[in-house]
């Protein structure tokens, strides 16, 4: 029956064998990141995910959240207690700076923990996840006073945080925001307006909720240049840190939605609520982007996490379910039929998941590692390159990992046959929960446009050229390694396709922006494939070195070969579509649809 | 807000312009199939779907079915009345033979009606849909007595029909069936066993339900060769046609499932219920396959129908939703933002749907037309070829149209952004309902194996060689038609890829069956693409001839160009995967997953 076990061995492999984070002890927070310490965290974290969070996954889905007559919100049974254990265990503090009460560990260690939370209970994980994002925005843009007053409690997740961007008339296009901020004589603002789709906008998990709200200061510039960011607590906070007056910021309703039922998606009404400016007037988007980039990486990880959850259950089912016989003769003659894992097409569904998940995890963790380097390296060159990579890769992690993650969730369901469609086996919830990941924090289409319209061209293409150069270096370094050759060949060929697509975009995307838009989806997918091919080549190199010590490495190599054989061929199709350009996409008049 | 309008113009185009069914008046049932008659049926049918069935779509999802303490089942509010109207309107009788009280119209006309029913309310449509399938199985295998007694009432859908195949231990592998049939002195059988996932196994729509049940006659051969088919009525039927005793065939429970909540998915318990043998002893699978082939075509159509439902709403949303500005400058300066249909990536999502739906509809209808030719043509050669095509194309229609249909449903949801994830906009229901189509009536993996393992090789490959020859003929006939050239080129190149894949399979699939299994999924998709390219070439030919008379034809050509440019490139990836073979798929030990 359904289960979740944290894939600790795979996480260790990426952290210690591939990225070798133990070799970065010159960076603050990395001093003591020995394999032993990390293993202890992964094991305890895995236990928490399996024993505390996973059992609430189905309950959360079936009960959902309830808005009471007094506008308070009840989360599913067990959520408040699990949340309390989460805070008491200090889990939200893993990578928080010690001056805010945190453990100061690398971001990448926190990412592994975040994956476990999300795999075991995605709806639950959003409460601390968004709180961490809000905390980081506060750290990035808030005044010292705001940081001291709200920082520690948000860092520990004792107080939750939310992001308030969307309004009925605006989602992607935040220039259309109508929520109004009126300056008060005491330096605060009165915030009035309606926000929708606010995850965790109201709940019964924390004694206070700190809303970060985008609003327009009265009389400020129109459009996106007049948007400011405000901190609006549910309860005002007194000088001594105790809770004061209730702010008129309340939940007007909950959305009925396809999945993540355990997370309260609120309509939030601000009726002259007291807010505090975060950062500069009219420059709210800048700070919000800090939070959004963080959140986008987190959403990519959610996509991956649901693929992992689906995969584990699909493997169990494929080994247990007896149905039909192997095409090449019975494998389990003593049984009435063979387990379905003998069938090639069942293996195709499993390996599509496995090869994606392991490559995607390396890619997500590697990207997250750039955040550590960006913020902690003493070397300016390293920081610059890491910042370039973060900017370039974030939209790819977000969109590619959620798109493929959703495909994997569906493959896991499909493998279950009719059982997958029933509630009992848990797969259909994974698919429904995962469905939101390709949408929120900027739809995947918006990510693709961000990639081709902004990230590629930034600094004259410096980031993408670094990426190509790193791949070339890797290939050159290992040339002649015959065992690695299939991986190097695969990497070189997909990289050549990506390079050709990049050149095409540089030549054709500027002369007609619609060419860039028309190609953005396929370009992003080609990029994702290339990134995974790079990761697989790096993983294969390590696995070849360690082969023989543990069958784990042999499995890694076989999985990687499947990736090369069966997933890379999509690259050529993406390239062909990129080079098709905008003509046939823009030919129809709107009325002709 | 959500809506459904039957795509009558597109249906007419396929029936009269492309397939030209009015030219087959030599076939029984086709005598009076003038465009006027067909239009009247499509218009009345569309009205019924829009006004009676569509308004119950969301209600059916939200209420679902309820099993009462007495094991009776309540369908959602409005379903019984709508069903009554359906029967009174004579809709189920469209293509039924006049000697069973039907109108005797072509199967293909019924297919268009079936699409409308499914688009407007898939869960509802399953009740009459499965009844029609059961009716056809009875006609194919039943004795004259059974036909006369049950045929007319099942044909009109006054009595519903069900298919009882699955048991807890067997789905795909029906050789494992345990349900038992014990012969009685009067020639009837006592049926005992449990069946699961029985759609419409119990309901409050009809006064009787006729179950077709697969069971094993005591003492018969083991495995699939000992399976017989029985007709088991809920109420026994007296000589005079009135209802008699209640048969012990009852609903033991309803499944909680991801979608199609309006359809009752029952656990059925047979406790010594009286059953009548349909066809010969131990030869039940033969008759059941008649029903399954019919049902598989119907399921393919369901996939298509959900894509259509999603597309219509996505188009509305794309035209209405104002967000951002066109990449090439504001298009609707008087508005706060442009409608999102100006964005290339939004058009990509719409055109992926539109190009698939229109090609897929032509493919499904063309295949259904083969059923008419197979059963009604006076020419033996025509009948043989039509039967070949039906056999060859049914798994492709089922699997390709449901796989792509689900992708389209998801694209429609995706285009709605956050709104798509909420219940209010109806898209998430479309996705959930559509999800079952890739699974039931044989999973898509089973269809792919049926195609490569059985259908390709039948009669020395006669069917697939006919298919290639028909494509070659079409290309040769229209060579030199410059306007048609892009379509002919696209068709030739994808056909060459399919041919290469077929040769590869013939050479490698027999020496190692796992090669066939490993390639089956991609082979089927390559086949689907080729079939759609053939349909697009045929549609383009007609559209070019009629261009100028109606902008409809210009739109058709532009949509077709998009198909060639943006969908055909996937063919090369499928071919590359086919030719990869089984090695990397079978390399891992089961324990290594």
């Amino acid at each position: 029956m359904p289960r979740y076990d944290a894939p600790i061995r795979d996480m260790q492999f990426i952290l210690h064998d591939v990225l070798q984070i133990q070799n970065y002890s010159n960076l603050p927070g990395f001093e003591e990141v020995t394999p032993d310490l990390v293993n202890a965290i992964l094991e305890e974290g895995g236990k928490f995910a399996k024993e505390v969070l996973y059992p609430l996954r189905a309950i959360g889905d079936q009960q959902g959240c309830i808005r009471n007559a007094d506008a308070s919100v009840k989360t599913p049974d067990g959520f408040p207690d699990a949340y309390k254990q989460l805070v008491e265990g200090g889990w939200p503090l893993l990578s928080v700076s010690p001056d805010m009460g945190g453990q100061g560990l690398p971001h990448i260690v926190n990412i592994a923990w975040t994956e476990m939370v999300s795999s075991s209970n995605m709806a639950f994980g959003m409460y601390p996840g968004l709180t961490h994002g809000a905390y980081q925005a506060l750290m990035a843009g808030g005044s010292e006073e705001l940081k001291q007053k709200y920082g520690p409690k948000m860092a520990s997740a004792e107080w939750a945080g939310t992001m308030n961007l969307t309004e009925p008339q605006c989602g992607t296009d935040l220039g259309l925001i109508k929520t109004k901020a009126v300056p008060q004589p005491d330096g605060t603002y009165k915030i009035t307006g309606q926000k929708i789709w606010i995850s965790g906008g109201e709940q019964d998990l924390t004694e206070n909720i700190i809303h970060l709200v985008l609003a327009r200061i009265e009389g400020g510039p129109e459009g996106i240049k007049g948007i400011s960011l405000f901190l609006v607590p549910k309860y005002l906070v007194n000088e001594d840190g105790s809770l004061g007056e209730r702010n008129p910021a309340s939940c007007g309703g909950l959305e009925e939605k396809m999945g993540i039922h355990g997370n309260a998606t609120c309509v939030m009404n601000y009726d002259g609520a007291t807010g505090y400016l975060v950062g500069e007037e009219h420059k709210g988007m800048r700070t919000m982007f800090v939070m959004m980039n963080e959140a986008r990486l987190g959403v990519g990880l959610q996509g991956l996490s649901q693929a992992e959850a689906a995969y584990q259950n699909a493997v169990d089912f494929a080994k247990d379910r007896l149905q039909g016989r192997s095409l090449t003769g019975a494998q389990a003659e003593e049984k009435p039929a063979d387990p379905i894992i003998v069938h090639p097409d069942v293996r195709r569904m499993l390996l599509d998941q496995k090869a994606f998940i392991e490559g995607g995890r390396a890619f997500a963790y590697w990207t997250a590692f750039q955040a550590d380097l960006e913020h902690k390296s003493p070397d300016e060159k390293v920081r610059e390159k890491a910042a370039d990579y973060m900017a370039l890769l974030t939209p790819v992690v977000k969109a590619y990992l959620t798109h493929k993650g959703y495909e994997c969730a569906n493959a896991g369901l499909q493998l279950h046959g009719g059982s997958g469609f029933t509630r009992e086996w848990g797969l259909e919830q994974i698919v429904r929960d995962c469905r939101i990941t390709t949408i929120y924090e900027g739809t995947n289409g918006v990510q693709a446009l961000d990639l081709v319209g902004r990230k590629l061209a930034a600094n004259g293409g410096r980031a993408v050229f670094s990426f190509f150069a790193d791949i070339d270096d890797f290939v050159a370094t290992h040339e002649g390694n015959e065992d690695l050759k299939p991986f190097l060949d695969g990497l070189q060929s997909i990289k050549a396709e990506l390079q050709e697509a990049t050149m095409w975009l540089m030549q054709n995307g500027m002369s007609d922006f619609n060419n860039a838009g028309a190609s953005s989806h396929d370009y992003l997918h080609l990029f994702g494939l290339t990134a995974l091919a790079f990761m697989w080549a790096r993983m294969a190199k390590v696995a070849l070195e360690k082969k023989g010590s543990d069958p784990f490495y042999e499995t890694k190599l076989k999985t990687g070969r499947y990736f090369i054989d069966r997933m890379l061929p999509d690259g050529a199709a993406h390239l062909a579509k990129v080079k098709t350009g905008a003509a046939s996409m823009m030919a129809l008049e709107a009325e002709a649809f």
Side-chain angles (χ1 to χ4, degrees), chain A:
Chain A
M1 293 307 291
R3 55 126 180 154
Y4 172 69
D5 292 287
I8 291 176
R9 185 73 182 85
D10 268 305
M11 292 173 167
Q12 292 167 334
F13 173 68
I14 294 171
L15 297 176
H16 295 302
D17 290 348
V18 180
L19 299 177
Q20 305 189 331
I21 61 170
Q22 66 277 17
N23 296 345
Y24 290 80
S25 56
N26 62 319
L27 305 186
F30 282 74
E31 301 89 344
E32 289 161 34
V33 184
T34 59
D36 282 352
L37 175 73
V38 172
N39 288 349
I41 292 170
L42 296 181
E43 271 164 30
E44 278 307 302
K47 211 173 137 198
F48 191 86
K50 182 184 177 70
E51 294 175 5
V52 178
L53 301 183
Y54 181 75
L56 301 176
R57 199 181 73 92
I59 295 170
D61 183 57
Q62 286 158 34
Q63 289 193 351
C65 296
I66 296 160
R67 178 179 176 275
N68 300 311
D70 65 356
S72 65
V73 168
K74 181 193 167 303
T75 61
D77 292 348
F79 272 43
D81 182 58
Y83 193 90
K84 194 160 161 254
Q85 290 185 56
L86 179 95
V87 172
E88 285 173 1
W91 289 106
L93 291 164
L94 274 183
S95 64
V96 163
S97 160
D99 62 4
M100 286 284 150
Q103 299 183 48
L105 287 166
H107 180 54
I108 192 174
V109 174
N110 189 48
I111 284 290
W113 153 251
T114 304
E115 183 197 320
M116 295 175 183
V117 173
S118 185
S119 279
S120 59
N121 195 329
M122 181 171 145
F124 180 93
M126 292 171 67
Y127 294 110
L130 286 163
T131 298
H132 192 63
Y135 163 78
Q136 289 193 301
L138 176 65
M139 290 300 115
S143 66
E144 205 46 44
E145 192 192 337
L146 283 179
K147 285 188 198 175
Q148 290 306 327
K149 197 161 182 178
Y150 296 93
K153 294 254 185 180
M154 290 177 75
S156 66
E158 278 175 272
W159 292 351
T162 71
M163 293 170 70
N164 289 243
L165 288 76
T166 306
E167 300 181 5
Q169 79 290 353
C170 66
T172 299
D173 186 355
L174 293 169
L176 302 175
I177 278 178
K178 289 183 182 164
T179 296
K180 192 174 65 174
V182 183
Q184 304 298 305
D186 65 354
T188 67
Y189 293 78
K190 291 286 180 209
I191 311 293
T192 302
Q194 188 177 70
K195 295 286 181 179
I196 62 170
W197 303 344
I198 308 309
S199 300
E202 184 56 83
Q203 33 79 355
D204 54 2
L205 307 174
T206 58
E207 60 173 2
N208 205 2
I209 304 174
I210 312 304
H211 305 291
L212 291 188
V213 182
L214 287 183
R216 191 181 296 285
I217 296 174
E218 250 191 349
E222 287 204 354
I224 200 77
K225 288 174 182 155
I227 304 296
S228 307
L229 180 64
F230 298 91
L231 183 154
V232 184
K234 176 177 171 185
Y235 288 100
L236 299 181
V237 178
N238 298 322
E239 284 308 309
D240 64 358
S242 64
L243 298 189
E245 207 180 321
R246 177 75 160 87
N247 218 353
S250 64
C251 170
L254 295 180
E255 298 291 340
E256 300 266 14
K257 54 200 196 297
M258 185 177 186
I260 51 168
H261 294 161
N263 199 277
T265 306
C266 302
V267 175
M268 290 300 295
N269 295 322
Y270 295 91
D271 299 313
T274 299
Y276 309 95
L277 185 68
V278 178
E280 291 176 55
E281 279 188 1
H282 316 317
K283 303 265 168 77
M285 291 308 296
R286 203 178 287 174
T287 311
M288 208 45 144
F289 267 118
V290 171
M291 186 163 163
M292 280 200 283
N293 270 328
E294 178 77 11
R296 285 172 178 185
L297 205 55
V299 174
L301 208 62
Q302 284 181 331
L304 181 78
S305 76
Q306 298 310 292
E308 172 71 34
Y311 172 72
Q312 292 191 11
N313 290 290
V315 168
D316 290 354
F317 191 85
K319 290 180 184 171
D320 288 348
R321 175 74 172 169
L322 306 178
Q323 204 74 183
R325 289 293 183 189
S326 163
L327 296 171
T328 55
Q331 302 278 307
E333 292 201 32
E334 74 289 1
K335 294 181 179 165
D338 289 337
I340 60 172
I341 201 166
V342 302
H343 301 304
D345 197 62
V346 167
R347 285 168 165 260
R348 178 185 62 80
M349 291 186 268
L350 289 178
L351 282 162
D352 278 353
Q353 295 175 71
K354 185 173 169 64
F356 160 73
I357 290 167
E358 296 178 14
R361 179 177 290 121
F363 178 41
Y365 286 28
W366 179 59
T367 303
F369 188 44
Q370 306 307 316
D372 281 315
L373 295 175
E374 178 187 354
H375 294 118
K376 295 175 178 167
S377 174
D379 181 337
E380 196 189 321
K381 274 278 164 207
V382 172
R383 288 201 307 272
E384 179 185 281
K385 187 174 164 189
D388 280 355
Y389 268 9
M390 269 298 281
L392 179 70
L393 302 177
T394 295
V396 184
V397 169
K398 195 283 180 183
Y400 188 69
L401 264 51
T402 58
H403 185 104
K404 298 296 289 184
Y406 184 61
E407 281 183 6
C408 288
N410 273 292
L413 188 157
Q414 183 71 21
L415 187 146
H416 279 71
S419 301
F421 196 66
T422 63
R423 180 194 277 183
E424 188 180 353
W425 289 82
L427 268 293
E428 63 95 29
Q429 182 188 344
I430 293 174
V431 168
R432 287 186 291 100
D433 285 352
C434 190
R435 188 64 190 86
I436 189 62
T437 63
T438 67
I439 297 171
Y440 63 12
E441 303 304 340
T443 64
N444 285 2
V446 168
Q447 305 298 328
L449 208 54
D450 179 46
L451 177 66
V452 302
R454 200 175 300 153
K455 301 304 177 59
L456 271 192
N459 304 305
R462 193 174 67 198
V464 72
F465 291 129
S466 284
F467 182 69
F468 291 147
D470 276 357
I471 292 175
D472 289 341
D473 281 355
F474 183 87
V475 172
T477 304
H478 299 285
E479 217 162 13
N481 181 338
E482 278 309 304
D483 293 333
L484 199 58
K485 191 165 185 304
F487 293 93
L488 297 178
D489 289 350
L491 176 57
Q492 271 187 303
S493 102
I494 191 87
K495 181 241 166 191
E497 286 168 347
L498 180 64
Q499 206 157 16
E500 190 178 337
T502 308
M503 291 307 143
W504 187 92
L505 265 175
M506 288 182 173
Q507 282 157 19
N508 300 281
M510 303 305 283
S511 57
D512 178 353
F513 291 148
N514 279 338
N515 276 331
S519 302
S520 57
H521 169 86
D522 286 290
Y523 183 81
L524 185 143
H525 277 251
L526 185 50
F527 206 120
L529 269 177
T530 308
L532 262 61
F534 189 20
M535 295 299 118
W536 268 115
R538 293 177 62 173
M539 293 195 286
K541 173 194 147 298
V542 173
L544 283 166
E545 287 162 6
K546 304 214 166 194
K547 206 171 86 171
S549 65
D550 183 340
F552 173 85
Y553 297 108
E554 190 61 50
T555 297
K556 195 61 76 183
L557 289 165
K558 287 176 178 169
T559 308
R561 281 302 293 268
Y562 181 89
F563 174 82
I564 303 290
D565 283 357
R566 289 269 172 179
M567 297 180 76
L568 284 190
D570 291 332
H574 290 305
L575 176 60
K577 293 181 198 180
V578 164
K579 289 166 71 181
T580 297
S584 49
M585 207 173 274
M586 305 309 288
L588 278 188
E589 299 296 315
E591 309 80 70
F593 280 90

